[in-house]
Amino acid sequence: MTKALCEASLQSESSVTLDPQSWDDIRAQGHRMLDDMLDYAADIRDRPVWTPIPDEVRERFHEALPRQPSGLAEVYREFTDFIVPYATGNVHPGFMGWVHGGGTAVGMLAEMLAAGLNANLGGRDHIPIEVERQIVEWMRQMFGFPDEASGIFVTGTSMANLMAVLVARTTALGRSVRQRGIGEGGASLTAYTSTAAHGCITKAMDIAGFGSEALRCIEVDRFHRIDVTALRVRIALDRSAGRKPFLVVGSAGTVDIGAIDDLRALSELCREEQLWFHVDGAYGALGILSPALAPRLAGLECADSIALDFHKWGQVPYDAGFLLVRDGIRHRDTFSAPAAYLRRETRGLSAGSPWPCDLGPDLSRGFRALKTWFTLKTYGTERLGAIISRTCALAAYLEARIVAEPRLELLAPVQLNIVCFRYRTADANQVNGDIVIDIQESGIAAPSTTILGGQLAIRAAIVNHRTDTCDIDALISAVLEFGAQRSSSDDGLVLEVERSPPLAT
Ligand SMILES: *Cc1c(COP(=O)(O)O)cnc(C)c1O
């Protein structure tokens, strides 16, 4: 009856809402969009990995604020013509830069469903929140965490790491830190990580009010794992100087070469020293799904908190970061804040406390859990684990090709799915930097760079489930070709350089 009434009363003003005038038209347009995006993934190999943006295309995105409506089909045309061709390229199997996931059609469809429901996961009593809690339960199982552990979806590991630092801060200083700030007690707190840790840890210490100098970056061994003995010494030194160590951040998969710290040793040290043990597992933590990698993550189950990204090795479309905290009460103590307009009840829509907004800084939150739920259920963890193992096998294949090629030099031991190497030549840093840009601009592949011991490395991180040996071969050919072009004058000299012995893995 309500529906009939509304239709009658608003008939004359049917265009005041934002709903379409014709659902049939938008349905047809929607089906075209869906087909196009499925084709995009299906035929991605026909496209360049990345395309430099022409000035006139960039210029199009500086137009005036649109005051008047445009037809959906027209706006969609702009999307297909000027946005799609100039995307990052990480859907493409030739994308090997940084650590980017490839996404899946399943994830894409789930994201559409989430937008259709338009659920707000800050709180209240609805099933989308139970879906998120289901993932929290699955993460407890996956990482061997207790029932009291809590978890929450966030944008990415940068945010999850920051939140972990804040939970560690509450643990060290008590809940009053939230009213009084870190004060004098907080000023002497120090945290520890390795020189190979991600830059967002430094940023987190800064944002949390400690200042980045309160973070000690401990040296690493030749496999880029934190030197636990040096860490122990530094903690002792700091204690004797009146500092108060409170947090150690271990890495499960460093961003430059994919090193995994000795998590067991770190967890034991943290237990002895009574320090919060956080693990940045942005991309490596999901390695637990690969039977070959899981043993190397031993000790992860003892962490106080783990940050990870489903949008990297988990192949969930951006963004889907996650924080898991062993002690759910500490987690809530760090973020929950009463507010009259967020009053909780035991029944009705305001039931179901605690809410996700009690576990992080966000109030309104999207339904990131849905695309993750679809991904985990549709593929199952065994298949996802097999993809992870396969990316490591492809990295080993790339390593073998580099070792067999006298014009190339491996720059770091390959431990997971990341390979760092360079073309042997005079002025190697300049030339290898140019080679990477040449390859990116060619559309053949998209590696990135890093600096290892002052040497610029071509860095290939194999994360995308679509990547195959032919993509590795294409990368090698491109490096050799652009390398020869860039250093044609000193080729003879280069080939005489003796090959360094292969690095142990
Ligand atoms: C990607 C990454 C981060 C940052 O995660 P975001 O999801 O990009 O915020 C942090 N640490 C490591 C080791 C990473 O690989």
Side-chain angles (χ1 to χ4, degrees):
M1 193 178 88
T2 324
K3 192 178 167 199
L5 275 176
C6 282
E7 276 170 6
S9 72
L10 294 176
Q11 217 158 31
S12 56
E13 304 174 72
S14 61
S15 63
V16 297
T17 82
L18 298 177
D19 278 334
Q21 299 259 315
S22 157
W23 284 99
D24 287 341
D25 287 353
I26 201 164
R27 188 184 310 274
Q29 179 64 51
H31 287 171
R32 268 197 297 280
M33 290 171 166
L34 182 59
D35 282 342
D36 287 352
M37 286 319 282
L38 290 171
D39 286 343
Y40 176 76
D43 304 331
I44 192 74
R45 279 185 182 281
D46 300 342
R47 293 172 172 273
V49 180
W50 177 79
T51 305
I53 306 165
D55 289 343
E56 60 276 19
V57 171
R58 202 184 294 276
E59 204 43 51
R60 296 189 73 93
F61 295 89
H62 293 287
E63 62 177 29
L65 179 69
R67 293 187 172 277
Q68 297 304 316
S70 305
L72 175 59
E74 197 184 311
V75 177
Y76 178 58
R77 243 198 105 77
E78 280 194 67
F79 171 77
T80 57
D81 293 353
F82 304 113
I83 296 179
V84 174
Y86 308 104
T88 329
N90 52 309
V91 174
H92 198 289
F95 191 96
M96 301 168 194
W98 303 274
V99 178
H100 275 46
T104 64
V106 167
M108 178 189 90
L109 294 172
E111 193 72 316
M112 183 193 71
L113 303 180
L117 283 184
N118 193 23
N120 179 346
L121 276 82
R124 294 155 290 268
D125 198 22
H126 49 119
I127 280 293
I129 290 201
E130 294 300 341
V131 174
E132 180 156 345
R133 289 180 183 139
Q134 166 75 89
I135 311 265
V136 174
E137 248 175 62
W138 286 343
M139 291 307 108
R140 282 188 203 119
Q141 282 174 33
M142 222 163 92
F143 294 107
F145 269 45
D147 291 346
E148 319 82 73
S150 59
I152 184 168
F153 273 92
V154 290
T155 39
T157 290
S158 305
M159 178 54 96
N161 281 337
L162 167 61
M163 286 161 62
V165 167
L166 294 172
V167 181
R169 188 182 78 166
T170 311
T171 304
L173 297 174
R175 294 183 62 176
S176 65
V177 65
R178 297 185 56 196
Q179 287 78 45
R180 299 194 200 132
I182 67 165
E184 259 176 59
S188 56
L189 293 183
T190 48
Y192 304 80
T193 193
S194 86
T195 53
H198 196 276
C200 66
I201 314 284
T202 309
K203 217 166 161 180
M205 287 295 289
D206 149 16
I207 299 171
F210 297 112
S212 56
E213 285 171 10
L215 179 68
R216 314 292 197 221
C217 294
I218 307 298
E219 59 263 39
V220 293
D221 64 15
R222 65 186 287 256
F223 298 104
H224 290 222
R225 293 174 306 204
I226 190 167
D227 180 336
V228 181
T229 310
L231 170 61
R232 221 175 253 285
V233 169
R234 189 65 210 254
I235 290 171
L237 270 176
D238 279 333
R239 284 206 198 279
S240 59
R243 308 281 312 181
K244 288 189 219 122
F246 79 112
L247 164 70
V248 172
V249 180
S251 297
T254 58
V255 71
D256 54 354
I257 72 154
I260 300 174
D261 285 339
D262 184 340
L263 302 177
R264 173 133 296 152
L266 287 181
S267 77
E268 280 162 12
L269 176 114
C270 287
R271 190 160 344 114
E272 283 166 35
E273 298 275 349
Q274 306 224 315
L275 308 176
W276 187 271
F277 178 37
H278 174 67
V279 176
D280 175 353
Y283 89 89
L286 288 180
I288 199 106
L289 299 179
S290 155
L293 295 183
R296 293 173 51 197
L297 293 164
L300 192 52
E301 71 285 355
C302 302
D304 289 303
S305 49
I306 303 173
L308 66 105
D309 282 329
F310 290 105
H311 56 225
K312 290 176 174 170
W313 252 348
Q315 313 295 335
V316 171
Y318 285 87
D319 46 32
F322 193 83
L323 175 67
L324 187 66
V325 180
R326 174 176 303 276
D327 183 337
I329 296 182
R330 292 225 156 107
H331 187 181
R332 221 182 311 155
D333 280 351
T334 304
F335 296 106
S336 72
Y341 47 86
L342 295 175
R343 186 183 144 84
R344 314 300 158 88
E345 305 288 352
T346 53
R347 59 194 183 88
L349 197 43
S350 294
S353 189
W355 292 349
C357 66
D358 301 324
L359 302 174
D362 296 316
L363 177 52
S364 293
R365 306 170 61 246
F367 197 0
R368 295 182 182 104
L370 190 67
K371 57 194 172 184
T372 310
W373 182 81
F374 262 96
T375 299
L376 289 167
K377 279 180 79 85
T378 309
Y379 297 109
T381 56
E382 286 179 14
R383 186 134 178 243
L384 293 170
I387 292 288
I388 289 169
S389 300
R390 203 174 92 95
T391 60
C392 295
L394 285 166
Y397 173 74
L398 175 55
E399 176 187 29
R401 288 228 38 200
I402 292 162
V403 170
E405 172 50 68
R407 287 169 288 179
L408 301 178
E409 177 185 9
L410 196 64
L411 290 182
V414 176
Q415 308 192 50
L416 283 179
N417 59 331
I418 299 182
V419 184
C420 293
F421 66 108
R422 66 175 177 173
Y423 186 82
R424 291 179 196 271
T425 179
D427 199 11
N429 282 3
Q430 177 69 44
V431 171
N432 279 279
D434 287 338
I435 291 172
V436 166
I437 298 170
D438 288 343
I439 297 175
Q440 290 171 353
E441 290 181 341
S442 76
I444 297 168
S448 59
T449 61
T450 191
I451 305 281
L452 296 169
Q455 299 178 324
L456 186 135
I458 301 174
R459 178 176 164 287
I462 321 296
V463 187
N464 190 322
H465 59 100
R466 301 181 182 98
T467 304
D468 210 336
T469 47
C470 62
D471 302 297
I472 305 288
D473 293 339
L475 173 69
I476 293 271
S477 303
V479 170
L480 294 177
E481 191 171 312
F482 287 113
Q485 276 176 27
R486 287 272 170 195
S487 59
S488 48
S489 54
D490 41 40
D491 245 8
L493 173 137
V494 168
L495 289 172
E496 279 164 29
V497 174
E498 214 176 292
R499 210 156 77 218
S500 49
L503 293 152
T505 53

